[in-house]
PDB file of all heavy atoms in Angstrom:
ATOM      1  N   GLY A 937      66.574  89.412  91.024  1.00 97.00           N
ATOM      2  CA  GLY A 937      65.693  88.584  91.837  1.00 97.00           C
ATOM      3  C   GLY A 937      66.130  88.438  93.308  1.00 97.00           C
ATOM      4  O   GLY A 937      65.664  87.587  94.044  1.00 97.00           O
ATOM      5  N   SER A1006      86.507 106.263 114.456  1.00 98.00           N
ATOM      6  CA  SER A1006      86.902 104.849 114.307  1.00 98.00           C
ATOM      7  C   SER A1006      87.770 104.794 113.042  1.00 98.00           C
ATOM      8  O   SER A1006      88.792 104.094 112.994  1.00 98.00           O
ATOM      9  CB  SER A1006      85.690 103.960 114.066  1.00 98.00           C
ATOM     10  OG  SER A1006      84.607 104.349 114.928  1.00 98.00           O
ATOM     11  N   VAL A1029     106.837  85.765 110.553  1.00 97.00           N
ATOM     12  CA  VAL A1029     106.648  85.063 111.816  1.00 97.00           C
ATOM     13  C   VAL A1029     105.712  83.871 111.650  1.00 97.00           C
ATOM     14  O   VAL A1029     105.984  82.747 112.080  1.00 97.00           O
ATOM     15  CB  VAL A1029     106.179  86.043 112.922  1.00 97.00           C
ATOM     16  CG1 VAL A1029     105.754  85.284 114.157  1.00 97.00           C
ATOM     17  CG2 VAL A1029     107.261  87.067 113.255  1.00 97.00           C
ATOM     18  N   ALA A1037     116.689  90.575 107.260  1.00 98.00           N
ATOM     19  CA  ALA A1037     116.949  91.385 106.114  1.00 98.00           C
ATOM     20  C   ALA A1037     115.707  91.444 105.222  1.00 98.00           C
ATOM     21  O   ALA A1037     115.297  92.495 104.720  1.00 98.00           O
ATOM     22  CB  ALA A1037     118.151  90.866 105.342  1.00 98.00           C
ATOM     23  N   SER A1043     111.167  98.726 105.172  1.00 98.00           N
ATOM     24  CA  SER A1043     110.640  99.268 106.431  1.00 98.00           C
ATOM     25  C   SER A1043     111.252 100.617 106.774  1.00 98.00           C
ATOM     26  O   SER A1043     112.518 100.754 106.836  1.00 98.00           O
ATOM     27  CB  SER A1043     110.926  98.245 107.530  1.00 98.00           C
ATOM     28  OG  SER A1043     110.383  98.701 108.765  1.00 98.00           O
ATOM     29  N   VAL A1046     108.000 106.647 110.187  1.00 98.00           N
ATOM     30  CA  VAL A1046     107.040 107.678 109.747  1.00 98.00           C
ATOM     31  C   VAL A1046     107.522 109.094 110.147  1.00 98.00           C
ATOM     32  O   VAL A1046     107.243 110.077 109.483  1.00 98.00           O
ATOM     33  CB  VAL A1046     105.630 107.420 110.405  1.00 98.00           C
ATOM     34  CG1 VAL A1046     104.655 108.536 110.133  1.00 98.00           C
ATOM     35  CG2 VAL A1046     105.079 106.080 109.883  1.00 98.00           C
ATOM     36  N   HIS A1073     105.111 116.286 109.088  1.00 98.00           N
ATOM     37  CA  HIS A1073     104.697 117.506 108.506  1.00 98.00           C
ATOM     38  C   HIS A1073     103.285 117.312 107.884  1.00 98.00           C
ATOM     39  O   HIS A1073     103.128 116.389 107.126  1.00 98.00           O
ATOM     40  CB  HIS A1073     105.668 117.972 107.396  1.00 98.00           C
ATOM     41  CG  HIS A1073     107.082 118.037 107.892  1.00 98.00           C
ATOM     42  ND1 HIS A1073     107.598 119.106 108.603  1.00 98.00           N
ATOM     43  CD2 HIS A1073     108.053 117.133 107.810  1.00 98.00           C
ATOM     44  CE1 HIS A1073     108.835 118.874 108.900  1.00 98.00           C
ATOM     45  NE2 HIS A1073     109.161 117.680 108.449  1.00 98.00           N
ATOM     46  N   HIS A1075      99.715 118.256 105.839  1.00 99.00           N
ATOM     47  CA  HIS A1075      99.174 119.026 104.686  1.00 99.00           C
ATOM     48  C   HIS A1075      97.688 118.655 104.473  1.00 99.00           C
ATOM     49  O   HIS A1075      97.298 117.546 104.855  1.00 99.00           O
ATOM     50  CB  HIS A1075      99.903 118.636 103.394  1.00 99.00           C
ATOM     51  CG  HIS A1075     101.373 118.835 103.450  1.00 99.00           C
ATOM     52  ND1 HIS A1075     102.027 119.825 102.770  1.00 99.00           N
ATOM     53  CD2 HIS A1075     102.369 118.132 104.092  1.00 99.00           C
ATOM     54  CE1 HIS A1075     103.337 119.760 102.971  1.00 99.00           C
ATOM     55  NE2 HIS A1075     103.565 118.730 103.785  1.00 99.00           N
ATOM     56  N   GLU A1099      96.650 118.352  93.295  1.00 98.00           N
ATOM     57  CA  GLU A1099      97.908 118.157  92.593  1.00 98.00           C
ATOM     58  C   GLU A1099      99.047 118.790  93.412  1.00 98.00           C
ATOM     59  O   GLU A1099     100.111 118.200  93.552  1.00 98.00           O
ATOM     60  CB  GLU A1099      97.872 118.814  91.205  1.00 98.00           C
ATOM     61  CG  GLU A1099      97.048 118.085  90.185  1.00 98.00           C
ATOM     62  CD  GLU A1099      95.537 118.412  90.307  1.00 98.00           C
ATOM     63  OE1 GLU A1099      95.132 119.114  91.237  1.00 98.00           O
ATOM     64  OE2 GLU A1099      94.750 117.904  89.454  1.00 98.00           O
ATOM     65  N   SER A1100      98.782 120.029  93.852  1.00 98.00           N
ATOM     66  CA  SER A1100      99.848 120.734  94.631  1.00 98.00           C
ATOM     67  C   SER A1100     100.238 119.926  95.877  1.00 98.00           C
ATOM     68  O   SER A1100     101.413 119.885  96.251  1.00 98.00           O
ATOM     69  CB  SER A1100      99.347 122.117  95.007  1.00 98.00           C
ATOM     70  OG  SER A1100      99.850 122.552  96.227  1.00 98.00           O
ATOM     71  N   SER A1196      82.423  99.164 118.748  1.00 98.00           N
ATOM     72  CA  SER A1196      82.214 100.472 119.358  1.00 98.00           C
ATOM     73  C   SER A1196      81.369 101.375 118.489  1.00 98.00           C
ATOM     74  O   SER A1196      80.386 101.985 118.926  1.00 98.00           O
ATOM     75  CB  SER A1196      83.586 101.202 119.614  1.00 98.00           C
ATOM     76  OG  SER A1196      84.572 100.279 119.988  1.00 98.00           O
ATOM     77  N   ALA A1243      76.868 108.427  91.840  1.00 97.00           N
ATOM     78  CA  ALA A1243      78.157 107.718  91.694  1.00 97.00           C
ATOM     79  C   ALA A1243      77.899 106.197  91.772  1.00 97.00           C
ATOM     80  O   ALA A1243      78.760 105.456  92.153  1.00 97.00           O
ATOM     81  CB  ALA A1243      79.105 108.206  92.740  1.00 97.00           C
TER      82      ALA A1243
END
Side-chain angles (χ1 to χ4, degrees):
S1006 323
V1029 169
S1043 183
V1046 172
H1073 305 279
H1075 302 252
E1099 288 82 354
S1100 148
S1196 324

